[in-house]
Amino acid sequence: MKVLKTVMLIDDDIPTNYLNKMVINQVNCTENVVTVNSGIEALKFLVEQPKEAMPDLIFLDINMPAMNGWEFLEAYKSIPLEKKEKTIVMMLTTSENPDDKMRAKRIRDIKGFMVKPLSEDVVEHVLGEFFANKV
């Protein structure tokens, strides 16, 4: 049931990326999982991708050194809309701060806010909500 071409995980915590990749692979919903350990690395990757190779789904952490999730989203705005129009960005964070949740709701590029850990149920929910036409 591989409905997605690529899922991208942006988190500075390597064990978290490893576990999240395992969860996504368990769901068997994508051909490719790209993990990066910083917003800077993610931005570089995305800018270099042709439109056809952009991730279908991005899980983004907030609290990262060098470039946090908010700073990443500010820079992400500079990627042309036609290139990223099919990409769904979900915040996946340890933050349960209501201010972070409200801030996320105000950013057009963010489609959801979830608290870690990522689970198969969460992945399946996201697939059902945003990729139902592909299932």
Side-chain angles (χ1 to χ4, degrees):
M1 175 189 108
K2 294 186 177 169
V3 295
L4 307 179
K5 193 161 185 65
T6 304
V7 174
M8 181 178 216
L9 300 169
I10 308 171
D11 197 313
D12 62 305
D13 187 67
I14 294 168
T16 296
N17 270 342
Y18 178 79
L19 292 172
N20 289 346
K21 185 175 182 174
M22 282 180 44
V23 168
I24 291 165
N25 286 334
Q26 281 294 124
V27 177
N28 195 29
C29 63
T30 187
E31 295 171 24
N32 187 25
V33 180
V34 174
T35 59
V36 293
N37 302 110
S38 73
I40 295 166
E41 195 181 336
L43 214 55
K44 183 178 181 332
F45 176 87
L46 294 169
V47 166
E48 292 172 356
Q49 296 306 301
K51 179 182 175 179
E52 316 73 57
M54 287 291 283
D56 300 290
L57 176 59
I58 296 173
F59 286 106
L60 172 65
D61 187 26
I62 294 176
N63 299 311
M64 298 181 287
M67 176 186 273
N68 67 31
W70 305 120
E71 294 163 332
F72 166 83
L73 287 163
E74 195 56 41
Y76 183 75
K77 286 182 190 173
S78 68
I79 295 174
L81 182 59
E82 63 275 1
K83 185 173 174 178
K84 64 181 180 182
E85 66 188 342
K86 292 191 167 99
T87 301
I88 300 295
V89 179
M90 306 296 287
M91 297 301 283
L92 180 64
T93 179
T94 55
S95 173
E96 295 190 53
N97 183 334
D99 293 341
D100 284 340
K101 229 179 231 188
M102 290 306 294
R103 185 174 179 183
K105 282 183 180 178
R106 291 193 300 267
I107 298 174
R108 190 174 60 90
D109 287 317
I110 299 176
K111 303 300 181 207
F113 187 97
M114 292 171 258
V115 177
K116 293 177 189 175
L118 188 62
S119 68
E120 289 182 36
D121 288 344
V122 168
V123 174
E124 288 168 0
H125 172 78
V126 170
L127 292 173
E129 186 170 347
F130 297 101
F131 302 99
N133 62 330
K134 291 186 172 190
V135 177

